[in-house]
Amino acid sequence: MSYEVLGNMVTEARNLLDSIKGGAIRTMETAFDALKASIASEWNGIKTKMNNEALAAIGRVDTQTVINAMGFTALNYNGDFIDTNELATNAHGHKNKYPLGMGVRGGRNDCFKVEMIPVKSGDDPVMRDGEAKALLDCMGIGRATRNFSGGFNIMKMTVLDTSFQDLDHYDFYIPNQHIKYSPTASFMFYTKIQGTSSVTWLGGDTAGGWKQVVSHKSSSNPGTYSHVDLNFSNASVGDVIYLALPTICVGHFPQSKKHGLLYNPKTELIRKVDALHQA
């Protein structure tokens, strides 16, 4: 065998070996790239899950641990509407009763029939007014519950004349209605509206049922505030507006919770003073 032939064989052998090595390396590189992609995908999934769980934990701390641990106290006087003031007979022959402390602007009383519906603890559930039963269901107390914490009145307003809508400024406001926004405050209430009327804060027609509304107010400006003025628009004769437990409190009241009659030291103090004067 000549040296030339032997040299060619060696060269071919080397080429074959290089080809085998190259294929093996490419195969390993492909497998390694696939492994890296798989690991990256799994890590991104784990990272996303960890981020979501961390955000959820932060949310739980904010909305559950902290908020649920807060004590909420009502700030507005007579939010239970127990104390009332009867006005003189209006143009339609009604002696309307309003919650004590409620603002009734001139010209409005003649356009409404205003009544108070009691929601009392201890009453025979069967004998309760139908709206009282429906509201107790909405609150989660239940219409069949005989005893519960804190009786109150529902204010029922029936529109008799819509001419008041041509008058300026507020129509009504809840007792002690000043809300300071800073750092944060909540205004909440239960309402039921039947008809075309729309009322600021309360809203419009509630499709035949009661609803709870919780409105949060906050501001970095320590002087920011608003009044809970009940201004009507689009009212029609015969519209009926129900309002119960309007409550102003400091803090971020959780919208997932139903509010009852919150403790109110101002109401308790005023009633004790009144009792002394009547003794």
Side-chain angles (χ1 to χ4, degrees):
M1 183 180 295
S2 68
Y3 287 109
E4 182 179 357
V5 173
L6 182 61
N8 290 335
M9 290 177 64
V10 170
T11 299
E12 289 297 329
R14 286 177 176 171
N15 290 338
L16 179 60
L17 181 60
D18 288 343
S19 176
I20 293 173
K21 286 182 178 179
I25 291 173
R26 284 193 296 274
T27 299
M28 286 189 292
E29 287 178 341
T30 300
F32 182 68
D33 288 342
L35 180 60
K36 284 198 302 181
S38 176
I39 292 174
S41 176
E42 288 185 20
W43 168 245
N44 287 333
I46 293 172
K47 183 180 178 182
T48 299
K49 182 179 179 181
M50 290 175 63
N51 287 340
N52 291 339
E53 289 180 352
L55 290 173
I58 292 172
R60 286 194 297 272
V61 169
D62 179 47
T63 60
Q64 296 177 22
T65 308
V66 176
I67 292 178
N68 291 347
M70 291 178 65
F72 292 94
T73 301
L75 298 181
N76 57 302
Y77 163 68
N78 198 27
D80 55 13
F81 290 170
I82 293 294
D83 300 312
T84 59
N85 181 35
E86 185 177 85
L87 300 187
T89 304
N90 69 5
H92 291 270
H94 298 289
K95 287 188 175 182
N96 290 333
K97 284 187 176 182
Y98 292 95
L100 192 65
M102 184 167 183
V104 183
R105 200 165 182 88
R108 276 67 173 182
N109 183 54
D110 284 332
C111 296
F112 286 84
K113 178 182 179 182
V114 182
E115 307 164 81
M116 292 294 159
I117 300 173
V119 187
K120 295 181 179 178
S121 174
D123 281 354
D124 181 353
V126 176
M127 302 305 294
R128 288 185 179 130
D129 184 273
E131 293 302 334
K133 295 177 182 178
L135 178 53
L136 288 174
D137 283 344
C138 174
M139 295 172 67
I141 294 174
R143 66 179 58 206
T145 303
R146 180 182 289 273
N147 298 300
F148 51 89
S149 177
F152 57 94
N153 284 334
I154 298 170
M155 182 176 68
K156 177 183 178 182
M157 309 178 73
T158 304
V159 178
L160 304 178
D161 183 341
T162 61
S163 62
F164 72 96
Q165 294 183 114
D166 297 328
L167 302 175
D168 293 330
H169 305 296
Y170 72 85
D171 295 320
F172 304 90
Y173 62 74
I174 69 165
N176 204 191
Q177 93 290 28
H178 190 111
I179 300 180
K180 293 182 179 294
Y181 288 1
S182 180
T184 184
S186 299
F187 173 55
M188 50 199 181
F189 54 88
Y190 295 95
T191 189
K192 176 179 176 181
I193 298 177
Q194 299 171 313
T196 62
S197 288
S198 181
V199 188
T200 52
W201 297 93
L202 307 187
D205 191 282
T206 59
W210 281 90
K211 70 173 183 178
Q212 182 198 36
V213 178
V214 178
S215 178
H216 299 132
K217 302 295 180 182
S218 63
S219 173
S220 59
N221 182 343
T224 306
Y225 73 97
S226 69
H227 290 158
V228 184
D229 293 337
L230 307 181
N231 296 315
F232 282 68
S233 60
N234 301 318
S236 300
V237 172
D239 288 357
V240 181
I241 296 88
Y242 297 91
L243 176 62
L245 294 178
T247 306
I248 299 170
C249 65
V250 173
H252 196 282
F253 194 91
Q255 292 184 331
S256 61
K257 302 291 185 181
K258 298 292 187 180
H259 75 282
L261 182 59
L262 300 189
Y263 176 65
N264 191 329
K266 184 174 182 180
T267 296
E268 296 297 323
L269 177 60
I270 290 175
R271 285 176 181 163
K272 288 179 180 179
V273 171
D274 287 343
L276 290 175
H277 287 168
Q278 294 171 11

